[in-house]
Amino acid sequence: MIKLLFRSLFRFLAYLLSFFQIKNKKIRELVYIIVFQLCLVFTFLTLLTLILRVIDESFGFVLTKNTKQVSEVFGETTDPNSLTKTQLINVMKDNMRRGTVRTLDTEKPLAQRTEENLLDLINEFVLEERVIKTWSLYESIFTLHSIRRIHESTPHSQLKFRNWINLTFLINKQSSFPEFTGIRSALLGSVFIVCIALAFSLPLGVASAVYLEEYATKNRLNSIIQTNIYNLTGIPSILYGILGLAIFVRLLLPLTQGRTILSAGLTLGLLCLPIIIINSQEAIKAVPNSLRNSSYGVGATKWQTVWHHVLPGSYERILTGVILAISRAIGETAPLVVVGAATFITTDPTGLFSKFTALPIQIYQWTARPQESYHHVAAAAIIILLFLIISLNSTAIILRKRVSQRKIEQ
C-alpha cells in the first residue's frame, strides 16, 4: 500500500515536471524536496493530532453520584479517611455480601491491603460510586462554568478532576464499571504473548538467517524461499491469525489446548519470524569478510567461525530487528481476535494454557461501547500502549547508534 502511494506520487510529480517542461536539474530537485517536506509535515501533524486527541480524552472532570450516601455507611460525623484499617474492614463486612468479601480476601488478604485500597473497594461495592457524566480536558478548561452549573443542579453528586491514567488503572482487573476498571489482566496477557512469540521466533529466525547467508547455495529454490520471506512481511496480519487458527488452535489442539495464550504467542511468533529473518540476514551481511577469512586462516571450521565471530559481531543489529518485530507484535489485534482472545476477562494468565486477553483487544472492546466513560478508559490504555511501543523503538534506535559509534571508533 505504501509503495503504491509513493509510486502514484512520483507519477504525479513526473506529470507536473513534463507539463511545466522543467529541464533544470536544480529546479527538479527543489520540487522533490518540497514534496517530501510537505509529506513529512502532513505525517507529523496527523500523528500530533492523534496524540493530542488521546491526551484530551485521558483527563477531565467527572461527575459521580453514590447509590448510598456516606452518612448511611460511615455515620454523619465520621470522616472515612480517618478510619483505621480494622474499622474499614468491619465496614466492608457489615455492608457487603459474604461471598464478595471472601472473593476479595482470596485475591489478596484484606489485612494486607492499604487504607486507600480499602476505601476504593468501599466506593465500588458499598457506596457504589457511579459516573454520571464526563468531560474531556478541553471541555474542562473552556466550559468550566457550565460544568459547575450541571454539578449544582444534580443533588448528592461529586465533581472531580480525574486522571484516567493512574496506578489503580494499571493494577486493577477489568470491571463492569469504567470508573473501577483496569488493564492488569490485559497487560499481563500482552507480556505473556510477546514472551512466547519471542521464544518461538528468535532462535528459529536467527537460525534461518544463518543458513541462508552462510550455508545456502545460490539456486532457484533458495531464491524462491528468499522472495517469499520478503513477501511475508507485507501480507495482512489477519492472515497470520487464520493460519494460527488452522494450525495452533485446531491441528495442534492436544498440544496447545485450543484458544489459549500459547496459541496466541505462537501465532504472533509467525508474524515476527520474517521480520527477524530479514534483519538478521542484513546484520550477518554487515560482518566484514576479513573477519571470516581470519578465522579460517587459524584453522577454524565453518560453524566455529559463525558461532564465535559472525554472530557476536552482528548480535546488536539482530537485537534491533527483534525489538522492532516485538513492537509490531505488541500492537496487533486482528490475529488475536481470530485465535480467540477474550474481550472481557477478570483473571490473570497463570500459565501457557490460560484464557487470555491483550491490551489492543481491551482497547477495541472499550471503544466499541456506547458509554462515554469507556472512551476515556480506552484513551488511557492507548497512551500506555503507545508508551510501550515508543520505548521499544527508542531502544532499537539507541542500539543502532551504539553500533555505528563502535564502528567509527574501530
Side-chain angles (χ1 to χ4, degrees), residues 39 51 54 83 126-128 152 167 181 193 195 198 206 210 227 242 262 294 326 337 340 348 354 376 401 407:
C39 294
I51 294 175
V54 173
L83 295 179
V126 180
L127 297 175
E128 297 182 356
E152 293 171 356
L167 183 60
T181 194
I193 291 171
C195 290
L198 183 61
V206 174
V210 169
T227 303
I242 296 173
L262 178 61
S294 300
I326 292 173
V337 172
D348 297 335
S354 302
H376 296 288
K401 288 185 177 180
K407 283 189 174 182

Side-chain angles (χ1 to χ4, degrees), residues 28-155:
R28 191 177 302 176
E29 290 177 0
L30 180 62
V31 173
Y32 280 121
I33 291 172
I34 292 173
V35 170
F36 281 117
Q37 287 180 347
L38 289 176
C39 294
L40 181 63
V41 170
F42 176 76
T43 304
F44 175 75
L45 291 177
T46 304
L47 181 61
L48 182 63
T49 303
L50 170 64
I51 294 175
L52 291 177
R53 176 62 178 171
V54 173
I55 293 175
D56 182 55
E57 291 289 338
S58 301
F59 302 89
F61 278 107
V62 176
L63 188 66
T64 62
K65 189 174 182 180
N66 297 332
T67 304
K68 292 183 180 180
Q69 299 303 315
V70 177
S71 58
E72 298 178 15
V73 178
F74 298 100
E76 296 181 358
T77 58
T78 304
D79 181 14
N81 295 317
S82 64
L83 295 179
T84 63
K85 186 183 296 186
T86 304
Q87 291 173 325
L88 292 173
I89 293 174
N90 291 332
V91 170
M92 294 176 62
K93 292 180 179 179
D94 293 338
N95 295 275
M96 292 171 58
R97 296 178 180 178
R98 293 182 180 179
T100 305
V101 175
R102 193 181 303 112
T103 301
L104 295 173
D105 190 63
T106 303
E107 293 178 357
K108 184 178 181 179
L110 298 179
Q112 297 179 7
R113 297 175 183 263
T114 62
E115 287 84 355
E116 183 180 357
N117 183 231
L118 293 174
L119 283 172
D120 291 338
L121 293 175
I122 291 174
N123 286 333
E124 181 177 359
F125 295 101
V126 180
L127 297 175
E128 297 182 356
E129 183 181 14
R130 300 292 178 262
V131 174
I132 302 175
K133 188 171 178 57
T134 61
W135 292 271
S136 64
L137 181 60
Y138 178 85
E139 294 170 338
S140 301
I141 296 174
F142 294 100
T143 62
L144 183 58
H145 295 290
S146 61
I147 293 173
R148 287 178 175 173
R149 285 197 298 268
I150 295 174
H151 168 52
E152 293 171 356
S153 62
T154 307

Side-chain angles (χ1 to χ4, degrees), residues 287-314:
V287 177
N289 287 326
S290 59
L291 188 63
R292 296 179 176 86
N293 295 332
S294 300
S295 177
Y296 295 144
V298 295
T301 62
K302 183 78 170 178
W303 172 245
Q304 288 173 336
T305 301
V306 171
W307 183 256
H308 294 286
H309 299 282
V310 176
L311 288 179
S314 59

Side-chain angles (χ1 to χ4, degrees), residues 258-271:
R259 301 175 184 271
T260 60
I261 202 168
L262 178 61
S263 303
L266 294 176
T267 301
L268 290 188
L270 291 178
L271 186 142

Side-chain angles (χ1 to χ4, degrees), residues 383-395:
I383 289 181
I384 294 173
L385 182 60
L386 285 175
F387 175 78
L388 292 175
I389 295 175
I390 291 173
S391 299
L392 290 171
N393 283 276
S394 300
T395 305

Side-chain angles (χ1 to χ4, degrees), residues 239-250 263 266-267 270 339:
L239 297 181
Y240 286 100
I242 296 173
L243 181 63
L245 177 65
I247 297 177
F248 301 124
V249 176
R250 294 177 179 172
S263 303
L266 294 176
T267 301
L270 291 178
V339 172

